[in-house]
Amino acid sequence: MFDYVPFPMFDIVKIHLIINSVLAFLTVSVVALRLVSRLTSGSKLWWDDYLILFALPQGLGMLIIQGLWAPMGIGYNVTETLPNLETILKMLVAYELIYATSISTIKVSVMLFYLRVFVNPSLRKATKAALIFVGLWSIGNILQVFLICRPFVKTYSLTAEGVCGNQVASFIAIGAFNIISDVMILTLPLPSVWQLKMSTARKLGLSCVFLIGLVVSVIGIIRIVTLTQLDLTNLTGTMIWADFWSATEPNLAILCVSLPMLGSLWKRFRANRGASESKNSGYYSSESNTIGSSAFSKIKNQDAAERGDTQIHLENLYAANQEVHYQSAVATTTTPEPVRMLVDHKDKDSGSEVSLTEPSPYQTDRNGIRVHTKWSISHN
């Protein structure tokens, strides 16, 4: 497909390619699980999901270009790779363009996620302002690809006449703004999180979920350091690490922003696993027709809720238009006959009777204690 002189790949180039290939596989897997999590929970995909799907092939495109470059002499002095240099420069234009659009798409996806889940007016205004900032930053990124050299053909042609600006300085400036915008976006929800009425531990955990993307900012800083070592007069000889980190950053960013979306899928997995362990341990017995506690039914209700199944939610049990009655019965075989007592429970002005009844005929331990609870809900 490309006319070039092949060179044996250096070991470090092979290692970089393997690392980014594994990262790309993990990224695709996590995005797939993100979609499964959203769809199985009964939620429809929204713009933040669609934008990640749009960014994914762009991240893979960065890896593809890295792979195409590898046998063209990456790591060799430009005097040796001169026959391949124009092809490499043409691919560099696509590389810069894909990098700019993929990073921008991921940032916009994160901010649209904020607009989907947060109702705090101040946070929503700040997010919209950040969207405008990122939009302008993205336009500048894309324009510099086409305007850095005049005429444009000078960007990749070794023989064309023209003039180019300082491309390395442009790359570094874009990387710096990229890191600043990352920190700004990732810290946007933190004030709202710390205003929530929950334990400090849970606030810290939720903050860590939002700040996981700072890993990408660290990669961005490393990338800037490698760009300072880039010499366009010896491009193939100095681009090994800049090439590697530039291809790593988009895929890692997609991975990091998608991981927190797997929370509901993980909860369902743990719930199903807990239910399976309960059955295997004999906690649930179909022969005695009893359940050791309400935990198993609670797990089932949570699982149904995450699937979007219709159910009576907890807050609806005490709605103003309905009365709740419950009856608890405790049976013991240590007395010759049951003792009955009446306890008045006030629940929306309704009473409940608690009586001691005969033990179940299924009970094997005649000296044990059994508790039966019955609930009934009536609408006014």
Side-chain angles (χ1 to χ4, degrees):
M1 185 173 67
F2 295 100
D3 185 17
Y4 67 91
V5 177
F7 287 81
M9 285 188 285
F10 287 116
D11 289 340
I12 188 63
V13 175
K14 293 179 182 178
I15 292 172
H16 286 173
L17 196 57
I18 291 172
I19 292 173
N20 277 341
S21 297
V22 173
L23 175 62
F25 173 78
L26 293 175
T27 301
V28 171
S29 301
V30 169
V31 171
L33 289 174
R34 171 180 177 159
L35 299 181
V36 170
S37 178
R38 294 277 287 155
L39 295 175
T40 57
S41 65
S43 303
K44 295 181 179 179
L45 299 182
W46 206 59
W47 286 108
D48 57 318
D49 303 301
Y50 291 126
L51 286 175
I52 287 297
L53 287 175
F54 180 63
L56 183 60
Q58 297 179 66
L60 297 178
M62 297 284 289
L63 174 62
I64 291 172
I65 294 177
Q66 181 189 7
L68 292 174
W69 270 342
M72 292 185 183
I74 302 304
Y76 290 85
N77 192 281
V78 71
T79 56
E80 300 178 71
T81 60
L82 196 58
N84 299 334
L85 190 57
E86 188 163 316
T87 301
I88 293 173
L89 288 173
K90 288 179 180 178
M91 295 171 66
L92 181 61
V93 175
Y95 200 72
E96 293 177 57
L97 185 61
I98 294 173
Y99 175 85
T101 56
S102 62
I103 291 296
S104 301
T105 303
I106 296 166
K107 293 178 190 292
V108 173
S109 172
V110 173
M111 289 183 285
L112 290 181
F113 167 73
Y114 292 165
L115 293 177
R116 174 166 65 86
V117 300
F118 287 104
V119 296
N120 187 324
S122 59
L123 175 58
R124 294 179 68 85
K125 289 180 181 178
T127 301
K128 291 175 181 178
L131 272 170
I132 296 173
F133 174 80
V134 170
L136 296 174
W137 173 83
S138 302
I139 292 172
N141 277 358
I142 295 171
L143 288 178
Q144 71 85 26
V145 175
F146 299 100
L147 301 179
I148 194 70
C149 292
R150 299 183 301 274
F152 173 68
V153 68
K154 180 63 179 176
T155 308
Y156 57 85
S157 177
L158 300 177
T159 58
E161 295 184 359
V163 60
C164 290
N166 192 330
Q167 290 175 282
V168 174
S170 175
F171 298 159
I172 294 173
I174 290 172
F177 276 105
N178 182 33
I179 295 170
I180 292 171
S181 61
D182 277 348
V183 175
M184 177 187 67
I185 292 170
L186 294 172
T187 56
L188 273 176
L190 295 187
S192 297
V193 168
W194 284 89
Q195 291 174 4
L196 297 174
K197 295 181 179 179
M198 60 173 60
S199 65
T200 302
R202 293 189 65 187
K203 290 178 182 178
L204 285 172
L206 195 55
S207 298
C208 290
V209 168
F210 287 110
L211 294 177
I212 191 175
L214 289 178
V215 175
V216 183
S217 298
V218 174
I219 298 300
I221 294 173
I222 297 174
R223 176 177 174 270
I224 290 177
V225 173
T226 61
L227 287 173
T228 61
Q229 302 168 357
L230 186 64
D231 182 5
L232 291 183
T233 62
N234 184 21
L235 180 61
T236 54
T238 58
M239 67 182 292
I240 291 179
W241 288 98
D243 172 31
F244 170 64
W245 292 116
S246 296
T248 300
E249 188 176 355
N251 286 313
L252 184 62
I254 296 171
L255 177 69
C256 288
V257 302
S258 297
L259 277 175
M261 309 297 179
L262 307 185
S264 60
L265 192 64
W266 173 247
K267 287 179 181 178
R268 283 196 296 277
F269 170 77
R270 292 187 63 184
N272 292 334
R273 182 179 178 183
S276 176
E277 289 177 353
S278 297
K279 289 181 179 180
N280 293 335
S281 64
Y283 186 67
Y284 173 81
S285 173
S286 59
E287 294 179 357
S288 61
N289 199 31
T290 61
I291 300 179
S293 75
S294 63
F296 181 71
S297 61
K298 180 180 179 182
I299 290 171
K300 290 178 66 178
N301 289 338
Q302 288 175 344
D303 188 51
E306 291 168 349
R307 291 196 311 268
D309 295 346
T310 303
Q311 63 173 342
I312 300 175
H313 296 281
L314 182 60
E315 59 268 26
N316 293 335
L317 289 176
Y318 300 102
N321 67 335
Q322 58 192 26
E323 293 182 347
V324 179
H325 304 272
Y326 65 91
Q327 184 182 54
S328 296
V330 181
T332 176
T333 59
T334 58
T335 57
E337 61 180 12
V339 180
R340 301 185 180 274
M341 54 188 300
L342 181 65
V343 182
D344 188 21
H345 292 268
K346 294 296 182 181
D347 190 351
K348 293 292 180 181
D349 297 326
S350 66
S352 300
E353 183 181 5
V354 179
S355 61
L356 303 179
T357 61
E358 293 288 353
S360 169
Y362 298 103
Q363 183 176 345
T364 57
D365 184 1
R366 304 301 297 174
N367 294 321
I369 298 177
R370 298 180 58 81
V371 180
H372 304 273
T373 303
K374 295 182 179 180
W375 290 80
S376 63
I377 303 173
S378 61
H379 294 269
N380 294 333

